[in-house]
């Protein structure tokens, strides 16, 4: 194998579409196996980054390398697999035939049968793509991303639209692949997904990486507790007893992020004796994400 020092290396990477600065100076260095999750709100620049890393878009300035090569070069492509955000497959070949075709693009692919077994495709490998359910389609796309046995795999929102069972099954296949020494860079809007699956989480906002850490360290960025309840109190009233923390309304529940939990609870109970379903917990990624994705700091 060639001497590759980085699997993914970006230096002051920028990408503009006309006046839109989709990527606004990204520095990133990934040189080991694992699952690397990129989180960010709509329009944060996640897909633009992946498209640049695949050579599907030219970069505006800075530099970018995948597996030590120029993105889009034959050598980079032969070591890379992908599911794009809007991936679709032709219906003219069966799933098995498509896997065979993709395997032929790579110098040392996995066996087609092993790939089918790993991605649990047996029951529909002889069907056309259009006949598959959403979860089956995503597993078939994942099979095409891995059949070449690439070192580096990009998955742009691989589990969007899947039910929780299908999502968890795909997580376990992704984890298995990471455990075999592969690097998986995935984007997601599911914070639970990043929390459960990723070895490292990068939060993007407005084309920049504003946090880059292990899930454990990302959690430590925000201190305090989250008080959750059903209450008649207004947001302004809740804000006044948060001790400077944030208040969010999530469906029927109000959530107060506070660093003075005893104080907040005492005031809350005295102001609203009828409050229901009170819980106190540590901040979850959901509680932290809103703050991180508004800031330019935290990395
Ligand atoms: N081909 C394009 N032409 C012009 N503008 C584009 C193009 N692709 C993306 N953009 C713009 O670049 C910015 C980043 O978009 P991008 O698709 O990278 O975001 P994203 O983080 O993947 O969002 P989402 O979570 O919605 O998929 C947005 O403002 C978007 O409108
Ligand atoms: Mg996207």
């Amino acid at each position: 194998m060639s001497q590759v020092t980085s699997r993914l290396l970006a230096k002051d990477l920028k990408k503009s579409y006309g006046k839109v600065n989709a990527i606004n100076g990204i520095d990133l260095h990934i040189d080991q196996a694992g699952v690397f999750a990129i989180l960010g709100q709509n329009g944060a620049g996640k897909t633009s980054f992946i498209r640049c890393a695949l050579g599907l878009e030219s970069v505006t300035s800075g530099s970018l390398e995948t597996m030590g090569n120029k993105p889009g070069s034959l050598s980079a492509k032969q070591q890379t697999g992908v599911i794009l955000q809007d991936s679709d497959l032709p219906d003219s070949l069966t799933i098995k035939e498509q896997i065979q075709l993709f395997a032929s693009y790579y110098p040392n692919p996995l066996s087609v049968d092993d790939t089918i077994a790993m991605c649990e495709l047996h029951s529909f490998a002889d069907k056309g793509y259009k006949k598959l359910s959403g979860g089956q389609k995503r597993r078939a796309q994942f099979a095409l991303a891995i059949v070449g046995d690439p070192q580096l795999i990009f998955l742009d929102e691989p589990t969007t639209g899947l039910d929780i069972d299908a999502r968890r099954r795909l997580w376990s296949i992704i984890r298995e692949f990471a455990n075999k020494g592969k690097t998986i860079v995935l984007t997601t809007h599911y914070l639970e997904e990043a929390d459960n699956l990723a070895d490292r989480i990068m939060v993007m906002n407005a084309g920049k990486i504003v946090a880059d850490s292990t899930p454990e360290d990302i959690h430590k960025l925000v201190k305090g507790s989250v008080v959750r309840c059903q209450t008649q109190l207004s947001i302004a009233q809740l804000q006044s007893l948060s001790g400077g923390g944030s208040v969010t309304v999530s469906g029927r529940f109000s959530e107060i992020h506070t660093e003075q939990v005893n104080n907040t609870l005492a005031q809350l109970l005295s102001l609203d004796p009828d409050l229901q379903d009170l819980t106190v917990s540590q901040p979850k990624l959901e509680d932290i994400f809103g703050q991180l994705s508004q800031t330019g700091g935290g990395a």
Side-chain angles (χ1 to χ4, degrees), residues 11 22 24 47 52 58 90 102 119 126 129 152-153 163 168 171 174 198 205 257 284 288:
K11 287 188 186 158
N24 213 356
T47 297
C52 287
S58 58
F102 265 66
C119 300
D126 293 324
Y129 186 71
L152 179 62
I153 302 168
D163 68 36
R168 292 211 168 115
W171 289 354
I174 291 171
N205 181 39
H257 189 157
K284 298 191 190 66
I288 301 163

Side-chain angles (χ1 to χ4, degrees), residues 6-8 30-36 67 79-81 150-155 174 177-186 199:
S6 291
R7 295 186 176 189
L8 181 59
I30 296 178
D31 61 2
Q32 76 247 56
V35 179
F36 299 80
M67 302 306 299
Q79 299 178 75
T80 309
Q151 288 295 95
L152 179 62
I153 302 168
F154 293 99
L155 306 174
I174 291 171
F177 218 66
N179 293 344
K180 288 186 186 199
K182 312 299 181 180
T183 298
I184 291 143
V185 178
L186 68 85
D199 299 294

Side-chain angles (χ1 to χ4, degrees), residues 2-286:
S2 60
Q3 281 290 315
V4 171
T5 50
S6 291
R7 295 186 176 189
L8 181 59
L9 181 63
K11 287 188 186 158
D12 198 19
L13 179 72
K14 295 187 179 163
K15 170 68 187 172
S16 307
Y17 300 99
K19 288 186 181 151
V20 178
N21 298 321
I23 302 176
N24 213 356
I26 284 187
D27 291 289
L28 191 61
H29 182 200
I30 296 178
D31 61 2
Q32 76 247 56
V35 179
F36 299 80
I38 306 179
L39 286 171
Q41 293 171 337
N42 293 134
K46 305 178 297 296
T47 297
S48 301
F49 178 70
I50 287 184
R51 291 184 65 83
C52 287
L54 292 167
L56 298 172
E57 300 281 355
S58 58
V59 308
T60 304
S61 66
S63 66
L64 185 58
E65 282 179 12
T66 52
M67 302 306 299
N69 291 280
K70 188 174 182 300
S73 63
L74 183 61
S75 176
K77 281 186 189 167
Q78 286 183 331
Q79 299 178 75
T80 309
V82 61
I83 298 181
L84 289 171
Q85 186 166 0
D86 49 7
S87 280
D88 222 350
L89 299 177
D91 203 36
S92 48
L93 300 176
T94 65
I95 298 304
K96 184 169 183 177
E97 287 166 344
Q98 310 217 36
I99 296 171
Q100 281 163 340
L101 181 65
F102 265 66
S104 73
Y105 299 151
Y106 291 86
N108 298 301
L110 300 175
S111 95
V112 171
D113 288 340
D114 286 352
T115 305
I116 288 173
M118 194 180 195
C119 300
E120 302 172 14
L121 311 181
H122 327 265
S123 59
F124 52 89
D126 293 324
K127 286 190 180 173
Y129 186 71
K130 282 204 181 104
K131 299 220 169 72
L132 307 186
S133 75
Q136 291 170 336
K137 281 182 178 164
R138 265 333 206 187
R139 292 218 299 278
Q141 290 169 7
F142 187 73
L144 299 188
I146 65 164
V147 68
D149 201 22
Q151 288 295 95
L152 179 62
I153 302 168
F154 293 99
L155 306 174
D156 198 356
E157 299 195 27
T159 64
T160 294
L162 301 191
D163 68 36
I164 189 65
D165 187 43
R167 198 179 306 155
R168 292 211 168 115
R169 285 166 76 191
L170 197 54
W171 289 354
S172 77
I173 302 171
I174 291 171
R175 245 343 312 168
E176 201 180 317
F177 218 66
N179 293 344
K180 288 186 186 199
K182 312 299 181 180
T183 298
I184 291 143
V185 178
L186 68 85
T187 71
T188 180
H189 287 285
Y190 299 115
L191 305 181
E192 188 203 357
E193 179 159 294
D195 229 356
N196 281 297
L197 191 57
D199 299 294
R200 189 167 136 196
I201 294 178
M202 292 158 279
V203 180
M204 268 188 94
N205 181 39
K208 291 190 167 160
I209 294 180
V210 296
D212 180 352
S213 249
T214 61
E216 294 73 25
D217 284 345
I218 294 253
H219 281 270
K220 285 183 201 148
L221 289 173
V222 177
K223 300 184 180 68
S225 308
V226 178
V227 176
R228 188 170 197 261
C229 60
Q230 291 198 61
T231 175
Q232 302 300 322
L233 299 180
S234 68
I235 293 183
Q237 283 174 302
L238 295 175
Q239 192 74 61
S240 72
L241 47 84
S242 68
S246 59
V247 174
T248 50
V249 176
S250 177
R252 290 176 289 124
F253 289 90
S254 299
E255 292 175 348
I256 309 164
H257 189 157
T258 175
E259 288 193 35
Q260 298 152 18
V261 66
N262 290 357
N263 222 342
T264 301
L265 283 173
Q267 288 187 63
L268 187 62
L269 289 164
S270 78
L271 279 173
D272 182 1
D274 297 327
L275 111 169
Q276 291 178 17
D277 299 327
L278 176 70
T279 56
V280 179
S281 58
Q282 296 303 304
K284 298 191 190 66
L285 196 52
E286 283 90 326

